[in-house]
Amino acid sequence: MTITGAKKKEKIDRLAEVTARDERGVSLWQEAFRRLRRNPAAIVGAAILTVFVLVALVGPFLVPYGPTDTMGIREGVIKPGVIPGPSGDHWFGYDHQGRDVFSRMIVGARQTLLVGVVATLIGLAVGALIGGVAGAAAGLGGRWGRMVDTVLMRFIDMLLALPSLLLAVSIAALLGASLTTVMIAVGMVSVPVFARLLRGSMISQAGSDYVLASTSLGVKKSKIALTHVLPNSLAPVIVQATLTLATAIIEAAALSFLGLGNPDSAVPEWGVMLADAQPYLGVRPALAIYPAVGIIITALGFTLLGEAMREALDPKLRK
Amino acid sequence: GCAESDRDDEGSSGNKKDTLVFGVAGDPKVLDPSFASDGESLRVARQVFETLVRPEEGGTKVSPGLAESWTPDAAGTTWTFKLRSGVKFHDGTDFNAEAVCVNFNRWYNAKGLMQSPDVTAYWQDVMGGFAANEDDTLPPSLFKSCTAKDETTVDLAFTRVSSKIPAALMLPSFSMHSPKALEQYDASNVAGSADDIKYPAYATGHPTGTGPFKFKAWDIANKTLTLERNEDYAGEKAKLKTLIFQTISDENARKQALRSGGIQGYDLVGPADVEPLKSEGFNVLTRPAFNILYLAINQKGNPKLADLKVRQAIAHAINRQALVDSKLPPGAQVAVNFFPETVEGWNGDVTKYDYNVEKAKSLLAEAGASNLTLKFHYPTEVTRPYMPNPKDLFELVSADLQAAGIKVEPIPLKWSPDYLNATTSGSDHDLHFLGWTGDYGDGYNFIGTFFDRQKDEWGFNNPALFEKFKKADTTADQAARVALYKELNADIMNFLPGVPISHSPPAIVFGKDVTGVKASPLTDERFATAEFKS
Amino acid sequence: MFRFIVRRLLQLIPTLFGLSILLFIWLRRLPGGPETAILGERGTPEMRAAIRRNLGLDEPILIQYGRFVRRLIRLDLGTSISTKREVTTEFLQRFPGTVELTVMAMVIAIGIGIPLGYLAARRRGRFLDHASVGGSLIGICIPVFFLAYVLKAIFSENLNWFPASGRQDPTIEATRITNFFVLDGLLTREWDAAADAIWHLVLPGIALASIPLAIIVRMTRASVLEVLNEDFVRTAEAKGLTESVVRRRHVLRNAMLPVATSVGLLTGGLLSGAVLTETVFAFSGIGAFLADSISQRDYPVLMGFIMIIAVVYVMVNLIVDLSYSLIDPRVRVR
Amino acid sequence: MALLDVDDLSVTFGRRGQRAVHAVDGVCFSVDAGEVVGLVGESGCGKSVTSLAIMGLLPKQPGLRIGGKAVFDGTDLLQLDDRARRDVRGRDVAMIFQDPLSSLNPVIPIGIQVTEVLTRHRGMKGDAATKEAADLLDRVGIPDPRRRLKEYPHQLSGGMRQRALIAMAVACRPRLLIADEPTTALDVTIQAQILELLKDLVHSSGTALVMITHDLGVVAGMCDTINVLYGGRVVETARRRPLFREPRHPYTVGLLSSVPRLDAGRGERLNPIPGSVRDLLPWPEGCAFAPRCSRREDACVGEPPELVLTHEGRSYRCVNPAPVGPPSAAARQAGAATGAVPAPREEEKP
Amino acid sequence: MTESDILVEVRDLKVHFPIRRGVIFDRTVGHVKAVDGVDLRIVRGRTYGLVGESGCGKSTLGRALLQLIPPTDGEVRFDGVELTTLPAGRLRAMRRRMQMIFQDPMSSLDPRQNVESILTEGLHAHGIGGSRDERRKIIGETLDAVGLPQWALSRYPHEFSGGQRQRIGIARALVLGPELIVADEPVSALDVSIQAQVVNLLDELQDNLGLTYLVIAHDLAVVRHISDTVGVMYLGALVEEAPSDRLYTEPLHPYTRALMSAVPVPDPDVEDRRERILLSGDLPSPANPPSGCRFHTRCPWAQPTRCADERPVLRDIGGSRVACHFAEGIASGELRPHKTSGQVVRPEGEGDDPGVVSAPSEPGSFV
Ligand SMILES: Nc1ncnc2c1ncn2[C@@H]1O[C@H](COP(=O)(O)OP(=O)(O)OP(=O)(O)O)[C@@H](O)[C@H]1O
Ligand SMILES: Nc1ncnc2c1ncn2[C@@H]1O[C@H](COP(=O)(O)OP(=O)(O)OP(=O)(O)O)[C@@H](O)[C@H]1O
Ligand SMILES: [Mg+2]
Ligand SMILES: [Mg+2]
Ligand code: NI
């Protein structure tokens, strides 16, 4: 293998400026995304979720029957103890109210997604606010900051000491059973997790050298908290949010089981469907199995993606 | 090897034959039925205690209990009871007229916290107040005095004529307790402070009656209550040696427990499970329907609802037959009156509202209420004997209403206390489900409870109707009273304060080899007759 | 150490105080009250008003709270409105069940989770790893009550291996001392009672263990992977130690540190009552009772139980911290 | 025959979807009994990987390929099975690591960590093992060894920890000791103590020492033979004096002139090597150092330079080596002239 | 040397970190005396080097000087302005004139900021450069000055090599046009060849921009190489301060001597000839420093009198300042070293975190 002199020179020059490509830099987020794309777990998770989201978005327009159409009752095929199973017209059969299960599953995807996402956002927003303020106060705030932090954290401790179900049930009692209630109740349960996570992360970031560097540049503390400490503390919170999406869906189902789910049968939600199927387990267990499997697969999708994100965003694996 | 299945294998032929474990939906609250108002406490009381009069087996008619006969005096205010002789309480004390008076006087002379409405709920429900009312809001007592004329004759005097007597005396709350035990265990000493009531020892661990079973143990930690055979029972002795009530609140869990052999019977069977369980060979008993499910319409809620036409439209809009066929247990019926057919005073000749969407629509149009939106309350997390699956019913009724052009805003609430609170107080509710299971076989116990005065639940004021109720209540003559009930039923169905929906027969199930229990419309099942067939 | 404990206990006081105020206001803001719950559909407005008056619910909330605190100072949590038994009695009747269930679940979760997590880490990227990680993911994603029904359908209804509900076969005449059925059975030498109680714990234990098990598997795996990369493991290998010594003394011991923490916290969480599991298995514990008490608006029970649970939670955390300092000498508590 | 003969050792980390990393690429060197051999080079040049490969301690990850030979006392360490390798490790060949804190198990007392080697290789148990462990600690200069045995790593200072690690390493009187940057994490005064200790141990027991470091000063004081590594290959091998006096490879020259010296004056510019260690030319395409080399020629690129052997076992891998003559003679002369080795000489003899 | 030549003057600076513990409320039960009475002056345009063992308080001194840690006691005058009592707003404005370079080039750069925003942050904070173009120009010049290519602007710290990162750190300090730069171990995380590049860069910048440096390092050779004056710290205090060359030729304090003798020199001849003064033991805990002369526990020349009970002050001896009672005697060889048996100390700060454990990252669940 011989290379001509000019080529050699070129090669060496290129090497001397190895990274001198006229390209924009790759931020840590982009890096993480690249790693994510290479992770098979992430791909499986993302695939599940894509299907799920697609179904949630367009499915309701394509379903064969209305989700509240109690045709089985009209037709008189539903009797106590008799619920017809799958047929050519009704792929998943009727439910106990004589409605088409397939249509309800499809329409339910949207509600399920909505509950998961909004509940997580609520938890995230409240938790991140408390945790962010506490973390910034503790990390940068001096003596007053420590006091603010202590007060907020004691509050979080109290929330933690409350059994989560009691919290959810009492929220539901206060607000009445509705979709919003489920979202708020499930969201509130994850508040302490987000708050503690963000706070811990921010405190550790606040001790790092680049914060000191910014201070020495003369940047204000509030600005440091927002532009440096917060963005660098977000990774674990984002991962947690993804994982919480999964648990939120499951917990919404648990709330439905306790009779606190969304009452509006026009917008079926898988958790509610699962809960509603309980009295008919003896007649047609499939009524419970369809939504349960839906929930499990969706939760699995979020969890897979979350775990993959955890790996992708892990600073230890950063190279 | 496992302990459980070992026992199952050999036990089925040995000691298990005379031990029945029965699954119930909730823990009993108290063992002294004087203080009880919940079904589970009363179920226990029915096995341990007896009352002067009791419902006939499998029916609602007043029949002899500890009293062999009873007769009112001419005014209808004093009743003479002839008692059975030779009856003994579990502690060996004799049952006699003296004992009856001790019991009635104990209730009548209640003092302090025993007058609290949550302690003596049924007494207050039936009798009103006490000898000395400590609270001004309490009404005067219906009960006046008790006189033991001889060993087996006792006179109960009342302040006025009431439809409740003697039927209400069938209630387990009027069970006869041993005077000695009452004394010994300080039964009337409801201690503590008003917000911190503590039951006496008698009520928590020493119920002493004359029933076929004796109280043995109450294991709160294991949610079981154990009764054993009263070997000295005056009548036919119980076939079971031991009867255990085990609390399993979840309906599916009860079914699974029955199937796995952990229990040999349970109450509150889901309607959907009746057929499957039957086909599996379990003994599913259907109680005669002694209840009513109605759709209440609150006339204070939406002003349009005060319009009879709108109420009629609602009644026509609902396909009650489809609902009964698809959602209620076999044997359920569409209701025409606010009370079941088995109660005297039932009237088949009232205004009927058949399912007719077109009619409903036109009635609405006539009333100028084509664009009606109604708040529809329904309870969650509950099964009542008259309402096995409220949410399902709601969905169907709501679909029917929508089909007739009435928009529905669903408001699901937890049964206790949110739902009850919301539907029976205030005026911020338009439609809701509620119902009633009769305490005893008198019509007043149904319609009187609902309509004898102005109530937040219905939000209407109909003095004429209320007057008629008063008259019925104070009519001593049975036949005259029944006639009044018939009239009232017709009036009510014309006025249509709500829509009576159905009477559904609640089911109770026993293991494949359990026989001898007769289902009672009043849930007065007698476990003394239960036995394992060999 | 002693100071640390005292300090943490003293810190508990303001937390409890704050919690009690918060709870008190919160609970009383809930619509409906115990009177509706007590009287059911039979209550008349007059009866309801009388009960409210008796319970002092019509008084200003501060006065009510003052009464609560005065009682609390005497360590009196009051009596349940619905059962009229003392709150402490109720607690002592029901908490043992929750504890037994928690212990069972954690025994299952730890007993299976740690070995499985360790093996997954050692066989990283191979079948066992994927299987256990996948399995644990599914474990987290199954709604517990659904799993409970499935377990019962298979193991009680069809196979009849395990009882479907309750804490102990009611036909067994067992002596109660502590209300810990297993313990009581052992204390009184009623072996069959103890065995039966354990037998009743299996299915609910498995259902309840599903989430902790999944968490423990994944934590153990991650932790072992991390420790395997630590310098001191390399040192141990460089010393020529046998694989089993390296594994036990150097890898597992260190890998257990974070796992121990989360085990502690998971235990603390379970102790506050596994409502769904307890309900579905008709298992007498505080979770289901608490849920009932909410619908009964049984304020004394709610206040009392939650305060006790908060204390238990803090105690468990304290024990976790203390035990952490025992396994990790670097952590000094003071 | 040398005690350890590393011949053409190469280690490649292959990763799915990415280019393989040739961390070590045909490294050859040998160590005689009682000899101190240095491996010097900047971060990432493959020093640690070399030593770990010899010890068989590289993490078992998919895509790892190890080639060549490491013959220790007649057996090729790379060919041993796991069992046999465990027997050799810690007994015949021992190793100490850079970070004394993370290299000690934090949750186990020092004593156990020392005695477990004794138990494993010398079959000692109980009191005998404890006593021997205490002796060992004493030998490496840890005062009050009995008490130290019961303490945990975090209770010791950095120097003491490194001494404890050394004690474990020499517990079985190994014939070969590999020290991977043993003093990098320590302060100079402590570094001096540790280096002195290592020297003593080598001299008194005849153990051969492979000293890995990036500090030229350390090798200057300790090693008999020095191998300079760059990009996973040995670029220059020489005995100590010749290397420092007449470095031939431009990289060695660059390194020596980059180091600020205590005995050089203020204000003297250093002569750094341009670029950074990351600017590597892959060896198969030429001299890896070429992109940074001031003596680069066309011949440097295209084919990898061969190792050139000169007298006295010297060798270098360069087509255009630096001429013979010290790189910054003036500076050193200045230092020598002031005679400023500040320590008073006669007084102290440890 | 007139007063105006002195850019920084530190008088009796003390930084004590309270050690808090208590049952309910934290009480201060002691202090880590990280810096315990330091006097120094830095001449404008010159470099002051600070050396000492790890944990002796170098970084704390540097940070306290910049008011990044509030000093417990003492004065810091910067160009005649007393910094310790300056209100926060004015202090922030003052920061423009004094900057810092950190040891770890990775951790001192926000990994989520690209170089451009790292460099403009300071400009924004001080309102320098009205327009974007103007700022770009300033940044461009700074990049040139530290030898980074323009394309670096859009890139993120993790995309650079260690040396380049350190250049970014230097550039960040330089954009504001400071007069004083405190460099805390600017090269100790770098490879030898890169280290030299950075040292040269610092030298160059000083020549071109007339900067004043306080360079902190534990590597005596580096410090000596770039400093005009070198201060040697031991346990929170200066033990010797001398012009760089003089310190090397005539170290007066026993600790300095030991330090000198310990630094390896890449020259076999020197290495072979020299005798090391081996200190026994380690640095005592700054929370509980020895009485008298802090060094007496490890000092080979420690005398039975004075050393243990009288804390020596810095005093002038022929152009150096030394804190040793017996400096002259040692220099003349009158006093002879003896072997010391040092006490072994526990490292302070390790294992101090109370058993705080974090919650598992799973949200609560209604099991
Ligand atoms: N497990 C691994 N997987 C992939 N690459 C690795 C692995 N271990 C080391 N390397 C690579 O091998 C090369 C040599 O690493 P090595 O640790 O031997 O360097 P070193 O000379 O010891 O450096 P330092 O002075 O930083 O310790 C580096 O480029 C490193 O990235
Ligand atoms: N925020 C702090 N709280 C308590 N103690 C501290 C704090 N910062 C530093 N110390 C202590 O002060 C002493 C001096 O620390 P400093 O970081 O100044 O040392 P240093 O000389 O810079 O060491 P190194 O060379 O390791 O950087 C150390 O004992 C350290 O533990
Ligand atoms: Mg290395
Ligand atoms: Mg420092
Ligand atoms: Ni220079």
Side-chain angles (χ1 to χ4, degrees), chain B residues 67-118:
Chain B
E68 285 168 337
S69 65
W70 52 95
T71 40
D73 66 354
T77 51
T78 302
W79 291 71
T80 305
F81 290 83
K82 197 83 190 138
L83 304 180
R84 263 205 324 225
S85 52
V87 177
K88 275 191 173 17
F89 289 103
H90 297 160
D91 61 352
T93 319
D94 285 332
F95 169 75
N96 51 26
E98 205 53 52
V100 174
C101 285
V102 167
N103 274 291
F104 273 91
N105 287 330
R106 170 182 173 228
W107 299 319
Y108 181 54
N109 294 320
K111 284 191 197 60
L113 292 171
M114 207 172 148
Q115 288 197 9
S116 182
D118 57 326

Side-chain angles (χ1 to χ4, degrees), chain A residues 120-137:
Chain A
T120 304
L121 285 181
I122 292 172
L124 184 65
V126 179
L129 187 70
I130 297 179
V133 170

